[in-house]
Amino acid sequence: MSEGTVAADQLRLFIERIERLEEEKKGIADDIRDVYSEAKSQGYDAKIMRQIVRLRAMETNDRQEMEAILDTYKSALGLA
């Protein structure tokens, strides 16, 4: 088996793994979309839920800093 064949086989395996993971990712994204749809049908605001999920994923210090800057900007624009 030549070095080129081994490299091609290894590359093919990497590509196939990535393809499988991409397919799994699509399935998970579909599941998440279904959960948001279900929540919306129960009267929840999916847009706000997405913001909450994003905030919960942030580090506490980063979130506090972002909220402080947001408050400053809102105040400057008369929105607070």
Side-chain angles (χ1 to χ4, degrees), residues 19-68:
E19 289 171 341
R20 278 192 303 276
L21 290 169
E22 287 290 344
E23 189 59 35
E24 289 176 26
K25 184 170 74 170
K26 181 188 176 302
I28 291 170
D30 290 343
D31 292 345
I32 291 170
R33 191 173 19 260
D34 291 345
V35 172
Y36 280 116
S37 179
E38 182 181 345
K40 186 176 181 179
S41 74
Q42 296 292 318
Y44 293 99
D45 187 319
K47 185 175 173 182
I48 300 301
M49 290 176 62
R50 288 181 194 281
Q51 288 178 325
I52 295 295
V53 169
R54 194 173 23 234
L55 288 172
R56 287 173 50 112
M58 293 175 77
E59 294 289 328
T60 302
N61 290 338
D62 293 339
R63 186 178 64 246
Q64 289 171 341
E65 181 181 344
M66 184 202 66
E67 289 172 347

